[in-house]
Amino acid sequence: MLLTVNRMSALRALRRERSENGRLTGARTDLAAPDPTPRKRWTAGIIPKGPLAIDAPPSRDRPLDIVVPQARLRPRAAFFRSSVHGGDIPPGSYVSLGEEVASVGPELLFLELAGVMHPIVHALVGYELCGTYARDPRSPRTGSVTFGVEPATTKARIAEFLDGCPGLRGVDQARRTLAHVADNAWSPTEALLALLVRLPVTELGFGAGPVTLNVRHETTAELLQRGVRASRVPDIEVDGTPMGFNYDGYGHFDLASIARAESAEERMGAMRSVREKYLDDLRRNRELTARGKIILPVIADDLFADGGLDTVMLEAALACEELCGQSLGDVRLALASPLLARKRQELIWSLLPWEPGTRYARAMAARQEAREGTPEDVLLLGDEFVTVEEVSLAGD
């Protein structure tokens, strides 16, 4: 059997591959014609569920996205939703997943999703593909995230791929989205924070300017002689300024370990570990300041609290003005409008890893549909990244 998945099915499959293996293990390849051999015809039961991260065979209601090299080779089975890729796709744009299943590669996937995803969600997929984490393939909003995986691609490789197929549909939109993506994000929430800092005000971001993520800064020889750590890595730095941000989620300090302790000795050990982490954070901020970096901590509460991130960004703008004598991009402009602030907070809530995010995303999509007549701009729906084509299924 030979089969190549694309679009949402490919995103799911690549997440599974990276989560389970830590990287894309298959070789780059070209597009092959679908073939059910040794079976004579396609049936849902012969589709391998493992590499595609599906729990049941595909069906008419939940079809599998596949791609074929010619229109005449489209399988007639109702459980497929097929696209055609011609000879204008650069060589090696596909990747093997094993079990005679392949997927579009991460660069081609990024291009495909440009035409069907909301640009902000599309950018977050770009951060994931270029980052060191993978969302849960079955439940990308609230499922477990796999950290420390190898990036599937880089921003530069995606840009080179787009330059190699200038006439394809979606290239211009993909380029616009890619401009807001940065390499080397370490977590989904860090990526969301970086994107909001980077996005222009007109797209509900803070407009601070381009960002760089997780760059290691070496400690000076003077401090090394005093026993200071050899290097520090701030999460997010705003290019051309000394400003940056470190995101500390709810699990940053393992306070639950104290509650879980079954003895006084275990409790004291857990308390020591939490205290050591807290002190290390304080030292980190001092050492980065000594390197000329003003790195503000951002906590999960800042994102979930109404207007919390706006307050952090105002503090960043004030610090930049007072200490450096320069403005922090368009942050002041972003904070000037209460209407923009409300829309931005609803956007943040719709993208965070919590169940109410689904409700906010649905509400935003409904308002968009009522305002424009067609739901062309949607964010997240249920546990899936929503595409324009899937909105018609959202009647529940």
Side-chain angles (χ1 to χ4, degrees), residues 27-67:
R28 291 294 182 122
T29 184
D30 295 326
L31 180 59
D35 184 355
T37 304
R39 299 295 183 94
K40 293 183 178 180
R41 63 184 183 90
W42 288 104
T43 63
I46 69 171
I47 305 300
K49 296 190 289 291
L52 300 176
I54 55 177
D55 298 318
S59 63
R60 184 187 295 271
D61 293 333
R62 295 190 67 84
L64 195 67
D65 290 313
I66 67 167
V67 60

Side-chain angles (χ1 to χ4, degrees), residues 5-24:
V5 294
N6 71 330
R7 304 220 286 198
M8 299 302 289
S9 295
L11 177 58
R12 190 182 186 109
L14 294 186
R15 282 175 169 156
R16 193 281 313 168
E17 173 80 356
R18 297 179 72 212
S19 295
E20 292 187 7
N21 298 316
R23 61 187 180 90
L24 298 183

Side-chain angles (χ1 to χ4, degrees), residues 1 28 32 36 39 65 86 109 145-146 187 269 274 326 340 377:
M1 188 199 74
R28 291 294 182 122
R39 299 295 183 94
D65 290 313
L109 175 62
V145 177
T146 303
S187 75
V274 171
Q326 67 181 99
L340 283 180
D377 246 12

